[in-house]
Amino acid sequence: MAFVHLDVLCFYSLLICTAFSSVSSNAEIKVNPPQDFEIVDPGYLGYLCLQWQPPLFLDKFEECTVEYELKYRNIDSEDWKTIITKNLHYNDGFDLNKGVEAKIHTLLPPHCTNGSEVQSLWSEATYWKSPQGSQETKIQEMDCVYYNWEYLLCSWKPGLGVHFHTSYQLFYWYDGLDHATQCPDYIKVDGQNIGCRFPHLEASDYKDFYICVNGSSDSYPIRPSYFIFQLQNIVKPLPPDYLSLTVKNSEEVNLKWSMPQGPIPAKCFIYEIEFTEDDTTWVTTTVENEIRVARISNESQQLCFLVRSKVNIYCSDDGIWSEWSDEQCWKDDIWKETLVFFLTPFAFVSLFVLLVTCLLLYKQKAVLKTIFQRKQEVFSHQDTFC
């Protein structure tokens, strides 16, 4: 029994020594954090570059593939975005209305460190746009719509209490442009810029679109406003047209319409239909441009529907509903049907009477013509005798 107890003590002692030996071995392997970590603004209105240099004394790990774990976020955000990379830079978009913070450390893989990953200390960096002007001078109610996936229009309201001579300018950039570009066609009210009509935007879909609206005033500085969105998510299509409503039978109605005109593919549409049967209205959606609906009653007097369209989830994350189409209706006029029911046989009878009358008149005319011709022959014979 004593030998068993002794063996157990030796086993535990061996485990403890092994653990301490492993800790000691790993503690000897260290790596420095990346050098010169910084956030650089290339002037793309929120598209920033996070860059760094390799850590010091990395030559000791020449056979290792060094990686970097990068975390970044806008300062008021709760969640960090995390990237594992072997590069020395990383680009992404940020909301420049807020500050930016990031941190990075070096990672050594397990096969270089006796089986366990080694991490350096964090290196941190922050970035803020130099604030200028009060919050009240910023533009208000910025609204951008990409009409029919063809042309972009943005509008805004001036900041609170700014002078009428305050001048606002809009700049935009997306991946593909060499530099931030100013709006070429402003919408003006009383000489003040309150919107922008954009030119044709080449290859601008499915990528971040950055906008900055800043301003100038003789009285005080104007605080700029920054926006990021993707154009396919703010598309407002044209409404459908050429609506048709066909009553198939007493129980079923067929609704059909034409796809809105423009460059949006047919597969990208979703439609919302508002159908009214007498005083009852209901709404449904479909991705097809035709739908069959069941009538509530075969005695309903009026059926109407209208349609609007939007880009669906297969082509965008969001979208804007079009305006409603013109309403298309069908009316069941009982008095009209009754009138037609009685007038139809009356019309046939009247036509028959008219034909008989014409025939009788024609025969009477022929008889009178014959009598007249005979009288003329008699008078002619008498004149010759005289």
Side-chain angles (χ1 to χ4, degrees):
M1 188 70 180
F3 287 110
V4 174
H5 183 66
L6 182 61
D7 288 343
V8 171
L9 289 176
C10 290
F11 176 72
Y12 279 114
S13 299
L14 181 62
L15 287 178
I16 293 172
C17 290
T18 302
F20 275 106
S21 175
S22 175
V23 171
S24 176
S25 175
N26 285 338
E28 295 174 359
I29 301 176
K30 294 183 178 180
V31 65
N32 290 310
Q35 301 181 88
D36 303 326
F37 180 45
E38 61 180 341
I39 303 173
V40 178
D41 185 355
Y44 295 152
L45 313 180
Y47 187 70
L48 304 181
C49 177
L50 293 78
Q51 60 187 35
W52 57 93
Q53 295 298 322
L56 294 172
F57 310 116
L58 198 60
D59 53 345
K60 296 189 300 182
F61 308 100
E62 292 181 352
E63 298 181 358
C64 293
T65 301
V66 177
E67 293 182 330
Y68 305 97
E69 182 180 19
L70 172 66
K71 292 179 176 288
Y72 60 91
R73 65 181 179 180
N74 276 110
I75 286 180
D76 67 341
S77 174
E78 296 182 359
D79 301 322
W80 292 88
K81 290 185 177 180
T82 301
I83 300 295
I84 305 294
T85 180
K86 300 174 184 177
N87 299 323
L88 297 176
H89 63 87
Y90 188 79
N91 298 331
D92 204 353
F94 296 87
D95 181 1
L96 293 189
N97 297 301
K98 310 163 187 175
V100 177
E101 60 181 344
K103 56 184 180 180
I104 190 171
H105 62 187
T106 311
L107 303 177
L108 292 180
H111 69 271
C112 299
T113 57
N114 298 328
S116 60
E117 184 180 72
V118 173
Q119 303 177 354
S120 74
L121 297 176
W122 290 100
S123 179
E124 300 181 353
T126 58
Y127 178 79
W128 290 85
K129 290 293 287 186
S130 300
Q132 57 179 355
S134 64
Q135 188 75 16
E136 290 75 18
T137 61
K138 295 176 61 174
I139 63 167
Q140 304 177 78
E141 300 181 26
M142 179 69 159
D143 182 44
C144 292
V145 179
Y146 199 25
Y147 286 97
N148 210 35
W149 213 312
E150 292 181 297
Y151 62 94
L152 176 65
L153 189 147
C154 291
S155 61
W156 60 84
K157 291 183 178 180
L160 295 173
V162 298
H163 293 166
F164 67 90
H165 57 73
T166 300
S167 175
Y168 289 103
Q169 297 87 35
L170 180 146
F171 294 84
Y172 67 95
W173 181 86
Y174 60 90
D175 187 13
L177 297 181
D178 295 331
H179 54 80
T181 304
Q182 185 173 182
C183 171
D185 184 12
Y186 285 106
I187 302 169
K188 298 177 180 287
V189 172
D190 296 329
Q192 189 175 61
N193 297 336
I194 54 91
C196 175
R197 300 181 188 91
F198 289 76
H200 175 68
L201 302 170
E202 189 71 31
S204 58
D205 304 333
Y206 300 102
K207 57 182 70 173
D208 287 339
F209 194 93
Y210 299 84
I211 286 180
C212 171
V213 181
N214 57 25
S216 59
S217 172
D218 296 335
S219 305
Y220 38 73
I222 303 298
R223 179 169 294 192
S225 298
Y226 296 90
F227 307 90
I228 308 174
F229 49 80
Q230 294 199 354
L231 295 184
Q232 76 277 358
N233 295 332
I234 57 170
V235 171
K236 183 176 182 178
L238 293 173
D241 52 12
Y242 301 112
L243 280 64
S244 67
L245 188 156
T246 306
V247 179
K248 292 289 187 180
N249 49 53
S250 61
E251 299 178 352
E252 191 176 60
V253 180
N254 188 71
L255 311 178
K256 191 174 182 179
W257 54 91
S258 294
M259 185 184 76
Q261 298 180 358
I264 306 175
K267 65 180 181 180
C268 289
F269 281 112
I270 184 171
Y271 302 99
E272 186 174 70
I273 302 97
E274 183 180 287
F275 180 76
T276 302
E277 183 173 352
D278 290 339
D279 296 329
T280 303
T281 300
W282 53 267
V283 177
T284 187
T285 57
T286 179
V287 294
E288 304 294 336
N289 67 327
E290 185 175 8
I291 187 174
R292 293 182 178 181
V293 298
R295 295 177 65 174
I296 299 174
S297 170
N298 58 8
E299 297 180 357
S300 52
Q301 302 301 303
Q302 179 170 285
L303 307 173
C304 292
F305 85 107
L306 33 76
V307 189
R308 61 180 181 174
S309 60
K310 189 175 80 166
V311 177
N312 62 35
I313 59 173
Y314 302 107
C315 298
S316 70
D317 296 328
D318 200 356
I320 303 172
W321 284 107
S322 74
E323 302 298 326
W324 286 102
S325 67
D326 293 333
E327 189 177 52
Q328 180 71 20
C329 291
W330 171 88
K331 293 183 179 181
D332 186 10
D333 196 332
I334 295 178
W335 291 106
K336 184 177 179 180
E337 291 183 357
T338 304
L339 187 62
V340 169
F341 177 78
F342 285 105
L343 285 180
T344 300
F346 177 76
F348 280 111
V349 171
S350 299
L351 181 61
F352 176 76
V353 171
L354 180 61
L355 289 174
V356 171
T357 303
C358 290
L359 182 60
L360 292 175
L361 290 174
Y362 177 78
K363 288 183 176 182
Q364 185 177 6
K365 183 178 179 181
V367 171
L368 291 175
K369 185 177 181 181
T370 302
I371 294 172
F372 180 74
Q373 288 177 349
R374 288 180 178 178
K375 285 184 177 182
Q376 280 187 333
E377 291 176 359
V378 171
F379 288 132
S380 176
H381 179 71
Q382 289 177 353
D383 290 341
T384 302
F385 179 76
C386 293

